[in-house]
Amino acid sequence: MKIFKFGGASVMDAAGVKNLVSVLEKVGYKDTLVVVSAMGKSTNALEEIIEQYFQDKTKTPAALLPLKEYHLQIINDLFQEQKAEVVAVVHELFAELHTFLKSNKSPDYSFVYDQVVSFGELLSTNIIHYFLLNQGLDSFWLDARNCIKTDDYYRAANLNWELTQSNIQSQIGSASLVITQGFIGSDSNNFTTTLGREGSDYSAAIFGYALNAESVTIWKDVPGVLNGDPREFQNTRLLHQISYREAIELAFYGASVIHPKTLQPLQRKEIPLFVKSFENPLESGTSVSKGKTLDPHIPCYIVKKDQVLIRLSSIDFSFIVEENISYIFGLLHEYQMPVELIQNSAISFSVCVNNKYKRLEELILVLRSRFNVDVTEGVDLFTIRHFDTKASQFINQKGKQVLLEQRTSETAQFVISV
Ligand code: ADP
Ligand code: ASP
Ligand code: MG
């Protein structure tokens, strides 16, 4: 079995869906499982609807209309005939969503989030499934929630690998071309869960792992993994080969082209991951597999924007040692602050964090009761893997103030004020 994953940008309109079919036709689709995300920016749109639902429930029905129109328009552009069935499915899905929102009594934001946001993937995969059939491809639509079993940590659910693996193997049966959703799963009560934003790459890896796939390919709007995000850096170059270890490091430091959780399951079974262009599907792209660390071996640039630098120092000049550090980490965990970088000296401790869950103010309040606290919001964290002198000069050339710098033999990191 081969696994393909198409992200939201690749299926943002009818032309994208047609291109997906043309990719399948060009590269072959026998024994292929296709994981698809929500179309375009549907997940963001659904997030806004949830936000509004919690503020003013009366406005929800109207807020859903543009999203419905968007999907109906894509259907209109895709189908000349045989569209009644897919239109009916879309109406049904929106009716189901309305019913949920009308009858829901749960005040749990994350629970509601998962029940609602998952409709993006259900809509996209249904539309694409019917279009594949319409084009003569014998597609089998699989509800990922019947396969991917998780705990009930809504919005970032954790996988039950054993159950998931046996479900996937039994649900696929003899189907040769399967289409399913990325990002979503279900808990032991069969409530929908999600794996975290951008989690469809991870879904593809889960299916790959469970099916002992020969490869997983994620189709992107870039030629493969480049040595920097082309939206942020100029003259980027394609990386032809990356080892699992190096790819895990790059994804961890923020190379957002691959979701960080994607690589571990593939590495365990040595399943190669290909990152290829959905515009030029026959080009080789990037291979993440056992082998050379990096080919070509060049510096890789990563930037994480809008981070927070917190600098703590002891009030009475006492040392900041194990006990205080473990207290600080306890708080960072409690206030859900992903830690990007740390540095300490005798009486000070600096940490660069991601205020993802918007709990910075609460955290700072608690920290101030024990330390002098200095906070700089909106900083950029630059990471250069395999840096050389030229690569390091790049930071100075930017003419920005370096607030913190850290180097190991492979990685240089800079916190920069914007
Ligand atoms: P998907 O549609 O699968 O969700 P994403 O938008 O998440 O795709 O990922 C593709 C984008 O990742 C590219 O358009 C590019 O701007 C960005 N990106 C970030 N880092 C890199 C990198 N090192 N190489 C290639 N693209 C990168
Ligand atoms: N649709 C989800 C998101 O936008 C999952 C994904 O695209 O990977 O985050
Ligand atoms: Mg993405």
Side-chain angles (χ1 to χ4, degrees), residues 238-366:
L238 178 66
L239 303 169
H240 301 289
Q241 154 70 28
I242 313 176
S243 68
Y244 292 109
R245 183 172 180 270
E246 181 61 23
I248 289 171
E249 296 283 349
L250 291 172
F252 174 79
Y253 285 116
S256 60
V257 65
I258 307 174
H259 187 278
K261 279 184 168 175
T262 309
L263 293 149
Q264 276 101 344
L266 299 182
Q267 183 268 333
R268 262 182 275 152
K269 288 196 176 170
E270 292 186 2
I271 299 169
L273 172 74
F274 299 115
V275 182
K276 295 190 186 202
S277 158
F278 59 69
E279 282 152 7
N280 299 300
L282 297 175
E283 285 182 6
S284 55
T286 300
S287 159
V288 178
S289 55
K290 214 173 149 204
K292 275 193 194 163
T293 303
L294 207 56
D295 176 27
H297 204 285
I298 50 177
C300 297
Y301 300 84
I302 301 154
V303 59
K304 275 195 181 175
K305 295 192 161 179
D306 203 18
Q307 307 295 303
V308 182
L309 182 64
I310 305 174
R311 281 185 278 213
L312 306 173
S313 56
S314 52
I315 292 172
D316 55 3
F317 274 74
S318 60
F319 294 127
I320 296 199
V321 287
E322 295 84 350
E323 192 209 341
N324 323 50
I325 293 176
S326 89
Y327 170 73
I328 296 164
F329 267 98
L331 290 177
L332 291 167
H333 179 65
E334 189 182 334
Y335 290 93
Q336 298 171 289
M337 291 287 164
V339 173
E340 308 289 354
L341 179 73
I342 55 168
Q343 201 164 70
N344 68 315
S345 73
I347 58 162
S348 77
F349 182 85
S350 296
V351 57
C352 184
V353 296
N354 185 348
N355 186 19
K356 199 172 161 183
Y357 295 92
K358 310 274 175 259
R359 299 188 64 187
L360 183 66
E361 272 179 41
E362 287 172 77
L363 171 71
I364 299 302
L365 211 62
V366 183

Side-chain angles (χ1 to χ4, degrees), residues 75 106 115 193 361 381:
I75 294 174
S106 171
Q115 308 321 301
T193 55
E361 272 179 41
L381 173 64

Side-chain angles (χ1 to χ4, degrees), residues 5 8 37-38 43-44 121 183 196-201:
K5 181 258 168 171
S37 305
T43 307
N44 292 9
E121 270 70 12
F183 184 49
R197 283 302 308 262
E198 302 291 324
S200 295
D201 290 355

Side-chain angles (χ1 to χ4, degrees), residues 2-281:
K2 283 178 301 185
I3 314 294
F4 286 174
K5 181 258 168 171
F6 288 88
S10 70
V11 290
M12 64 187 285
D13 53 20
V17 177
K18 286 180 187 163
N19 185 60
L20 180 153
V21 179
S22 120
V23 170
L24 294 182
E25 280 168 344
K26 279 184 191 148
V27 301
Y29 51 84
K30 190 172 170 286
D31 296 331
T32 303
L33 180 134
V34 182
V35 173
V36 186
S37 305
M39 291 173 149
K41 300 271 179 228
S42 299
T43 307
N44 292 9
L46 285 159
E47 277 187 345
E48 280 170 27
I49 289 162
I50 297 157
E51 200 62 44
Q52 201 180 55
Y53 169 79
F54 276 96
Q55 281 163 19
D56 180 358
K57 296 191 171 39
T58 61
K59 292 199 177 130
T60 317
L64 280 168
L65 284 179
L67 190 68
K68 190 172 184 180
E69 274 310 308
Y70 167 66
H71 286 93
L72 289 174
Q73 183 62 49
I74 293 179
I75 294 174
N76 241 336
D77 296 343
L78 282 175
F79 295 83
Q80 255 97 55
E81 69 251 7
Q82 295 172 314
K83 71 174 157 205
E85 209 175 342
V86 58
V87 169
V89 171
V90 167
H91 281 299
E92 234 169 79
L93 285 169
F94 274 93
E96 211 181 296
L97 182 51
H98 270 295
T99 308
F100 168 77
L101 290 167
K102 248 176 95 178
S103 58
N104 172 58
K105 299 270 182 299
S106 171
D108 179 346
Y109 185 92
S110 297
F111 167 77
V112 173
Y113 180 100
D114 281 4
Q115 308 321 301
V116 173
V117 87
S118 47
F119 276 85
E121 270 70 12
L122 295 173
L123 286 161
S124 69
T125 51
N126 267 294
I127 295 172
I128 294 165
H129 165 65
Y130 280 99
F131 188 64
L132 289 168
L133 292 178
N134 175 280
Q135 297 294 296
L137 280 72
D138 190 10
S139 150
F140 171 75
W141 185 85
L142 177 71
D143 190 333
R145 294 170 300 180
N146 295 337
C147 299
I148 310 261
K149 295 307 285 189
T150 69
D151 63 8
D152 59 2
Y153 196 76
Y154 299 110
R155 295 187 71 179
N158 301 295
L159 213 69
N160 178 335
W161 280 98
E162 249 171 66
L163 208 51
T164 299
Q165 188 157 4
S166 65
N167 284 345
I168 291 177
Q169 284 164 353
S170 64
Q171 295 264 330
I172 302 283
S174 60
S176 172
L177 174 61
V178 181
I179 174 150
T180 195
Q181 308 79 39
F183 184 49
I184 70 172
S186 69
D187 64 15
S188 57
N189 292 315
N190 289 331
F191 285 115
T192 305
T193 55
T194 65
L195 305 172
R197 283 302 308 262
E198 302 291 324
S200 295
D201 290 355
Y202 181 41
S203 300
I206 297 167
F207 279 104
Y209 181 89
L211 292 166
N212 297 313
E214 62 175 77
S215 64
V216 173
T217 306
I218 50 181
W219 298 97
K220 297 276 175 179
D221 59 355
V222 279
V225 181
L226 305 164
N227 72 327
D229 184 342
R231 289 175 301 193
E232 302 291 339
F233 302 94
Q234 289 168 352
N235 307 321
T236 50
R237 286 171 62 191
L238 178 66
L239 303 169
H240 301 289
Q241 154 70 28
I242 313 176
S243 68
Y244 292 109
R245 183 172 180 270
E246 181 61 23
I248 289 171
E249 296 283 349
L250 291 172
F252 174 79
Y253 285 116
S256 60
V257 65
I258 307 174
H259 187 278
K261 279 184 168 175
T262 309
L263 293 149
Q264 276 101 344
L266 299 182
Q267 183 268 333
R268 262 182 275 152
K269 288 196 176 170
E270 292 186 2
I271 299 169
L273 172 74
F274 299 115
V275 182
K276 295 190 186 202
S277 158
F278 59 69
E279 282 152 7
N280 299 300

